Amino acid sequence: MNSLKALVLLAVGAILGYVFSSLSTESYQDNLTPPMVIAVKTPPTAKISKLKVAPDVLDQTIDASQVQPQVTNNQTLTTVDGDEMLNQQHLDLIAEHQLLEDKYKKSKNKISLLKNQLNEFDGSKVTDEEMQALAPEPFKFFLSSFRGKTRNDIYDFHQKEDDVDWGYNMKNNISDFVLTHYEATNIDLISVICKQPYCEILAIEKQKDALNKIIKDINQQPWWTFSSTSSSSNNESTYIFLSM
């Protein structure tokens, strides 16, 4: 009886030992199994967002290139040619304007000369003696050579009171211009008298045509507004009467 009981206990112990041994082996194998790697795919929305950003960047690049266009050699040459053409047109217009202005002044002088010639036919009650008394030697005989309206204008000019406004300023303009001209050393400016709208100039030339050069240049001044010039001279002395 005791022997039978011992055999049963031995069998039970062997079975339990086998079961425990199997469980331990499986648990050890489970621990040795490497972890699984799960592949994560990029969500579709992420790809779509990248596609949305790219066109915006491209659009910005295109806009920047439009703001700062590249200039080619042909475009540069075209711009230079255009500037040269505009400059040439500007110079041509200036030359044409100067030509028209010169023609206008010549026509104006011819008209003044014709007017003076017509005025010579008008009568005057002023005597030669009265005219000669208006100027010193050697200019007094020049005044008596004028006739008609010009004689009357010169005589009336000397009867007027001094003009301390327009006359004073115009006298200074004429005197300053004559005395600072490059031909100033070739003349003696004796007198300049101005009473609106007339001026009288007395001068003696040391060199021929010196006064003519000065008068030609003074006509270009913006303040020179006289439309008629009457003059009388000999080899040295010159009398000039100006009217607007």
Side-chain angles (χ1 to χ4, degrees):
M1 189 66 177
N2 291 330
S3 297
L4 180 60
K5 187 180 290 186
L7 290 172
V8 171
L9 290 172
L10 181 60
V12 170
I15 292 170
L16 291 174
Y18 176 77
V19 170
F20 283 118
S21 176
S22 298
L23 292 172
S24 299
T25 301
E26 291 178 359
S27 175
Y28 176 75
Q29 291 176 350
D30 291 340
N31 292 333
L32 293 177
T33 302
M36 295 180 65
V37 178
I38 300 175
V40 179
K41 296 183 178 180
T42 302
T45 55
K47 292 182 179 179
I48 293 172
S49 64
K50 290 181 180 179
L51 292 175
K52 287 182 178 180
V53 173
D56 294 338
V57 175
L58 290 175
D59 291 341
Q60 293 175 0
T61 303
I62 292 171
D63 292 339
S65 65
Q66 291 175 351
V67 173
Q68 299 178 349
Q70 295 182 351
V71 180
T72 63
N73 291 334
N74 292 335
Q75 290 174 336
T76 302
L77 291 174
T78 301
T79 303
V80 172
D81 291 342
D83 292 341
E84 290 180 353
M85 185 179 296
L86 289 175
N87 290 335
Q88 187 59 46
Q89 290 177 351
H90 179 66
L91 294 175
D92 291 342
L93 288 174
I94 292 176
E96 184 178 356
H97 172 74
Q98 186 62 44
L99 182 62
L100 292 174
E101 195 172 61
D102 292 342
K103 289 182 177 180
Y104 169 74
K105 288 183 178 180
K106 289 180 179 179
S107 299
K108 193 174 182 180
N109 290 335
K110 288 181 179 179
I111 293 173
S112 298
L113 180 60
L114 292 172
K115 285 182 177 180
N116 290 335
Q117 291 175 351
L118 289 173
N119 291 334
E120 295 298 322
F121 294 100
D122 294 338
S124 175
K125 295 181 180 180
V126 182
T127 65
D128 290 346
E129 289 74 14
E130 289 175 325
M131 293 297 293
Q132 292 176 9
L134 300 176
E137 292 282 2
F139 305 98
K140 60 172 53 182
F141 296 102
F142 296 147
L143 276 70
S144 61
S145 65
F146 294 103
R147 295 289 183 269
K149 184 177 183 300
T150 303
R151 174 179 282 220
N152 290 335
D153 289 341
I154 295 174
Y155 183 82
D156 292 340
F157 168 79
H158 281 274
Q159 309 313 309
K160 288 185 176 182
E161 295 181 357
D162 292 341
D163 185 348
V164 295
D165 189 8
W166 179 91
Y168 177 79
N169 293 329
M170 185 58 68
K171 171 188 174 180
N172 287 338
N173 287 339
I174 295 174
S175 299
D176 291 344
F177 185 88
V178 173
L179 295 176
T180 56
H181 195 271
Y182 67 89
E183 290 283 358
T185 56
N186 294 323
I187 71 165
D188 285 334
L189 186 63
I190 304 302
S191 172
V192 178
I193 302 173
C194 293
K195 302 175 185 178
Q196 195 175 21
Y198 304 108
C199 277
E200 179 188 76
I201 301 174
L202 309 181
I204 296 177
E205 286 185 302
K206 298 177 182 178
Q207 185 171 333
K208 187 178 180 180
D209 292 332
L211 188 58
N212 287 335
K213 293 177 182 178
I214 295 176
I215 296 300
K216 181 180 179 182
D217 291 339
I218 204 173
N219 270 272
Q220 308 300 321
Q221 302 307 304
W223 45 264
W224 186 268
T225 57
F226 299 101
S227 59
S228 177
T229 301
S230 301
S231 65
S232 181
S233 64
N234 56 21
N235 294 332
E236 295 180 353
S237 305
T238 301
Y239 175 89
I240 299 175
F241 186 72
L242 306 168
S243 61
M244 298 177 64

